[in-house]
Structures are given as structure tokens and as C-alpha cells.
Amino acid sequence: MVIDALLPWLRWLIAFHIMSVMAWMAGLFYLPRLFVYHCQVAVGSQESQRFKIMERRLLKAIMTPAMCASLFFGVLLVLTPGGVDWHAGWWHTKLTAVFCMFAFHGFCSRWCKDFAADHNGHSEKFYRIANEVPTILMMVIVIMVVVRPF
């Protein structure tokens, strides 16, 4: 069976999943911080243009490919026999937090488009608070996977 063929590759799948998640998380931590700094410069200024380029490149060249790789390797891990106990509560909590991480990525993408069009509608404080969301989600995910409290 195709799924059984994944077993010899389990350690490799785990390694590539961790690496892709790390790259994705780095972007999710950094992009809202760029938004904080972008709020501090004048619309249309040279600094604003520089932030637009940095934000777009981070989102398109690093974050989105890393998110896709995280999803790909995560799905392969789920398909690996014995990888998931579908009745365990920790799994559902982790999966919910992962879906929230995807949603946050979507919000970051939207905010990036808003800045690119000079239509940012949020304050510096908003982005400072938003910058904490991926940290909290990451903590929930790691605790669920490592500790499996329920």
C-alpha cells in the first residue's frame, strides 16, 4: 500500500516538516514586526517603498512556500501509519491551532496588500499585538505534540 511506503521515510518527513515549519514561523514572527515599522514611516516615502518590497518578498518568497511545504510534509506525516491517534484530544487542539495559523497567514497576506496599496487601516499597536498571535499558536501546537496533555 502507498501509505505503508511512507514508513521508511518517517524520519526524513519529520525533519523536512520541522525545517519548513521553522521557516514559516520565522516569517510569521517577522512580517508583523515589519508592519509595525512600516506604520512609523510616511506613506509614499522611500522608506515606505522599501518596506513594501521587503514585506512582499518575505511573504511570497519565504513564508508562502514554507507554509505549503509545512502542509505537504504534515499531510504525509498524518498519512503515515500510526502517526495520528484520531481519538486523542491533543490532536484536535493541535489541528485547530494549525488552522488558526493558516488564517493568520491569510491576514498577513491581506495586510501586506493593504500596505502595498497605501491603504493600511491599522495602528502600530494593532500590529504589535498581532505579532504575538503566532507565538501563542506555536506554543499551543508544540505543547500538544510534545506533552500530549489529553
Side-chain angles (χ1 to χ4, degrees):
M1 186 173 206
V2 174
I3 294 175
D4 290 331
L6 293 173
L7 276 174
W9 300 99
L10 180 62
R11 298 268 183 214
W12 285 101
L13 295 175
I14 292 170
F16 283 115
H17 182 65
I18 290 170
M19 288 185 281
S20 57
V21 168
M22 287 175 64
W24 184 28
M25 291 305 303
L28 287 172
F29 292 146
Y30 189 49
L31 187 58
R33 180 58 46 187
L34 287 177
F35 295 154
V36 168
Y37 300 140
H38 199 158
C39 286
Q40 298 171 357
V41 300
V43 172
S45 67
Q46 188 173 5
E47 291 101 348
S48 179
Q49 296 306 315
R50 186 176 313 118
F51 278 116
K52 289 177 187 180
I53 292 168
M54 292 169 62
E55 292 157 0
R56 179 179 42 81
R57 287 181 180 168
L58 178 60
L59 182 68
K60 301 285 185 185
I62 297 171
M63 289 173 60
T64 300
M67 177 192 68
C68 293
S70 298
L71 178 62
F72 175 74
F73 291 114
V75 168
L76 289 179
L77 286 170
V78 167
L79 293 175
T80 303
V84 175
D85 176 4
W86 294 101
H87 302 296
W90 71 267
W91 169 247
H92 300 287
T93 304
K94 183 233 183 194
L95 196 57
T96 300
V98 168
F99 284 131
C100 290
M101 198 74 82
F102 283 114
F104 186 78
H105 183 103
F107 285 122
C108 284
S109 180
R110 179 72 223 155
W111 299 330
C112 193
K113 289 176 185 174
D114 289 345
F115 272 110
D118 292 325
H119 292 120
N120 172 42
H122 300 292
S123 68
E124 177 183 333
K125 183 177 180 178
F126 172 85
Y127 292 114
R128 287 186 187 278
I129 293 168
N131 195 209
E132 302 306 321
V133 171
T135 303
I136 294 166
L137 292 171
M138 181 262 316
M139 291 168 59
V140 169
I141 292 167
V142 170
I143 289 169
M144 291 303 115
V145 172
V146 175
V147 178
R148 298 182 181 187
F150 47 86

